[in-house]
Amino acid sequence: MKIIMLGAPGAGKGTQAKMIAEKYSIPHVSTGDIFRANIKNGTQLGMEAKQYMDQGLLVPDELTVKILLDRVANEDCKNGYVLDGFPRTIPQAEVLDKALSELGDQIDYAINVDVPDENIVKRMGGRRACLSCGATYHIEHVPPKSEGICDSCGQELVLRDDDKPETVQNRLNVYHEQTQPLIEFYSAKGVLKTVDGTMDMKEVFEAIVTILS
Ligand code: ADP
Ligand code: AMP
């Protein structure tokens, strides 16, 4: 099963993608997590990506597409995957589409997690991330057991630089201009499913499982 998560930054794509990955035993592939791991390890890719990420801009397609295609070519992706944060532009979607159709394959579901902008700004300010293992928390909705510490790996939790309010508005603008057109792209392919992302995260997950079953 090959699934794409669509939705604004902070809509809950990562939260739902992790639950889908666990339930259906497929890898969760997040381009944002791949970039953050590269930043943490000080790689050339990480240094280049950081310049864009810190401003709330998209990393150029040339950099992004290659890391994604390399990742999904891995053995663990052969039975499917859930993509979180990719594609984010029409050219990215077209490259993925072409790569899949060359293998006689296609995306099965594009799940659009729909959340209005007003809710997003509030959610992002409360998000806390573990840059070590990629776990995500929310100070109100999903607090860690011990404040500021990751339940999974014990490392310190941070407010991501790009989750600061001044950057969140940029990211929302970029989303509406460059990523939202993908809703129409996948709708035209007949694979788009929309869920109400303002519900409690368990309810959102139930709605997704109903779609996938
Ligand atoms: P995305 O991957 O789309 O950027 P996340 O999954 O990281 O978004 O979610 C953004 C923030 O909102 C996180 O702090 C997460 O814990 C919280 N969150 C996710 N889903 C919900 C929900 N349904 N209701 C309330 N908060 C949520
Ligand atoms: P995310 O963790 O998905 O919110 O991504 C964080 C940031 O990484 C984004 O704001 C972009 O700067 C960058 N990024 C992640 N995925 C992509 C992508 N598919 N295309 C371009 N930039 C991306």
Side-chain angles (χ1 to χ4, degrees):
M1 190 153 53
K2 297 188 174 63
I3 304 168
I4 286 174
M5 303 304 293
L6 293 176
K13 300 181 296 297
T15 302
Q16 298 300 327
K18 285 187 185 106
M19 294 196 265
I20 294 169
E22 194 173 336
K23 182 169 171 75
Y24 296 96
S25 302
I26 49 176
H28 165 214
V29 175
S30 156
T31 37
D33 282 353
I34 296 174
F35 287 136
R36 282 184 288 277
N38 275 274
I39 293 173
K40 190 165 174 264
N41 295 328
T43 68
Q44 178 68 28
L45 170 69
M47 286 188 291
E48 281 185 54
K50 189 173 180 351
Q51 297 169 24
Y52 299 94
M53 291 168 74
D54 283 353
Q55 297 178 67
L57 299 173
L58 296 185
V59 177
D61 289 346
E62 307 83 79
L63 291 178
T64 310
V65 162
K66 187 174 179 323
I67 60 154
L68 188 278
L69 293 182
D70 285 352
R71 176 66 189 89
V72 297
N74 273 9
E75 179 64 15
D76 66 334
C77 288
K78 74 175 191 314
N79 293 326
Y81 41 77
V82 50
L83 299 187
D84 163 20
F86 186 100
R88 262 180 157 102
T89 64
I90 296 277
Q92 289 181 12
E94 286 171 344
V95 171
L96 177 64
D97 212 40
K98 186 160 169 280
L100 286 172
S101 58
E102 279 168 9
L103 301 169
D105 208 348
Q106 61 175 36
I107 289 298
D108 300 301
Y109 298 97
I111 297 175
N112 176 30
V113 184
D114 188 29
V115 177
D117 286 9
E118 312 77 91
N119 303 40
I120 296 284
V121 178
K122 219 173 144 210
R123 272 197 198 174
M124 302 285 254
R127 173 157 68 179
R128 294 295 178 271
C130 175
L131 298 183
S132 188
C133 74
T136 304
Y137 301 84
H138 190 282
I139 52 176
E140 278 171 44
H141 308 296
V142 197
K145 291 195 186 85
S146 170
E147 199 184 317
I149 303 293
C150 179
D151 292 352
S152 311
C153 72
Q155 296 295 307
E156 194 189 351
L157 298 176
V158 297
L159 172 65
R160 278 167 41 182
D161 284 341
D162 60 346
D163 280 350
K164 293 181 177 152
E166 56 279 20
T167 312
V168 169
Q169 192 53 55
N170 281 347
R171 294 174 70 196
L172 279 171
N173 296 343
V174 166
Y175 167 74
H176 290 301
E177 279 165 29
Q178 300 194 55
T179 308
Q180 208 170 9
L182 292 175
I183 293 177
E184 186 46 45
F185 180 94
Y186 286 108
S187 171
K189 289 188 175 295
V191 294
L192 183 80
K193 303 282 175 190
T194 296
V195 291
D196 176 0
T198 63
M199 300 185 294
D200 176 89
M201 50 188 79
K202 288 201 185 73
E203 292 171 318
V204 179
F205 186 57
E206 279 166 23
I208 293 176
V209 170
T210 304
I211 290 166
L212 301 181
S213 304

